[in-house]
Amino acid sequence: RHIIGLLGSDKRKLPFLVIIFLGASLFDLAGLGLIGPYVAAIVDYRMLEGGRFFRIIDWLGLPLERQTLLNTLGLMLIGIFLLKGVSSIGIHWIIIQFSEHQQFCLRSNLMQSYQALPYTEYLRRNSSEYIHSIEVLTGQLQQVILTILRCISECVVMLVILILLAWTNIYA
């Protein structure tokens, strides 16, 4: 609660960040969803026939011949994992930028509040305490925000994967 209070008006960006995390987790979902049918197509192509995945392939108009399907699925998997890697890098960049911006804002607010203090009040504390607050404590807050956002990102991915597993076969 205190950390959210320190975010100020930037706390409105948090739902946007969660939506970005959810969107990126769809690449994990697509990659994991394609691995099973790809392995099944390699091991025994007949396992796919008549199944849900085979109907989706037919509906999408993808080739149904074994070798062509393997090549297409392989390229799709490579593309999805490349997109997943790029989106993961982008998400981490967004998280770092957000936490650094919060650190900058907190440092600015602390500097303004210290400058607004009456001179006699300012002299009551040692200047090293002000420097410690501005440098060390704001850096610790940045690390806390960074860790919380990364944890939220990974929890969203985990939740999406669990939903996929439950949807695929909840009784297995």
Side-chain angles (χ1 to χ4, degrees), residues 85-150:
V86 169
S87 70
S88 179
I89 290 169
I91 283 175
H92 288 298
W93 182 80
I94 289 170
I95 289 171
I96 289 169
Q97 292 298 316
F98 183 81
S99 63
E100 285 181 354
H101 176 71
Q102 294 309 310
Q103 181 184 20
F104 172 77
C105 290
L106 185 59
R107 281 182 177 175
S108 296
N109 290 340
L110 282 174
M111 285 294 294
Q112 288 174 358
S113 66
Y114 293 154
Q115 290 172 348
L117 283 176
Y119 188 67
T120 55
E121 186 71 28
Y122 178 79
L123 289 177
R124 288 187 187 168
R125 291 177 57 193
N126 192 346
S127 61
S128 64
E129 292 178 38
Y130 296 119
I131 294 170
H132 176 74
S133 295
I134 292 171
E135 289 297 319
V136 176
L137 297 180
T138 58
Q140 289 175 351
L141 177 69
Q142 179 200 12
Q143 291 302 314
V144 167
I145 292 172
L146 190 71
T147 303
I148 288 172
L149 288 176
R150 282 187 178 161

Side-chain angles (χ1 to χ4, degrees), residues 138-169:
T138 58
Q140 289 175 351
L141 177 69
Q142 179 200 12
Q143 291 302 314
V144 167
I145 292 172
L146 190 71
T147 303
I148 288 172
L149 288 176
R150 282 187 178 161
C151 190
I152 291 171
S153 173
E154 296 301 321
C155 286
V156 167
V157 170
M158 181 188 67
L159 183 64
V160 167
I161 290 171
L162 286 175
I163 290 171
L164 170 72
L165 292 175
W167 179 71
T168 303
N169 191 354

Side-chain angles (χ1 to χ4, degrees), residues 49-116:
E49 292 178 355
R52 179 179 1 163
F53 186 74
F54 205 76
R55 288 190 303 263
I56 292 172
I57 290 173
D58 190 36
W59 181 77
L60 291 174
L62 294 175
L64 298 175
E65 298 81 36
R66 183 176 190 264
Q67 189 58 43
T68 311
L69 180 63
L70 283 175
N71 291 340
T72 304
L73 287 177
L75 289 174
M76 287 173 68
L77 273 172
I78 290 171
I80 287 171
F81 280 106
L82 283 174
L83 286 173
K84 178 191 168 305
V86 169
S87 70
S88 179
I89 290 169
I91 283 175
H92 288 298
W93 182 80
I94 289 170
I95 289 171
I96 289 169
Q97 292 298 316
F98 183 81
S99 63
E100 285 181 354
H101 176 71
Q102 294 309 310
Q103 181 184 20
F104 172 77
C105 290
L106 185 59
R107 281 182 177 175
S108 296
N109 290 340
L110 282 174
M111 285 294 294
Q112 288 174 358
S113 66
Y114 293 154
Q115 290 172 348

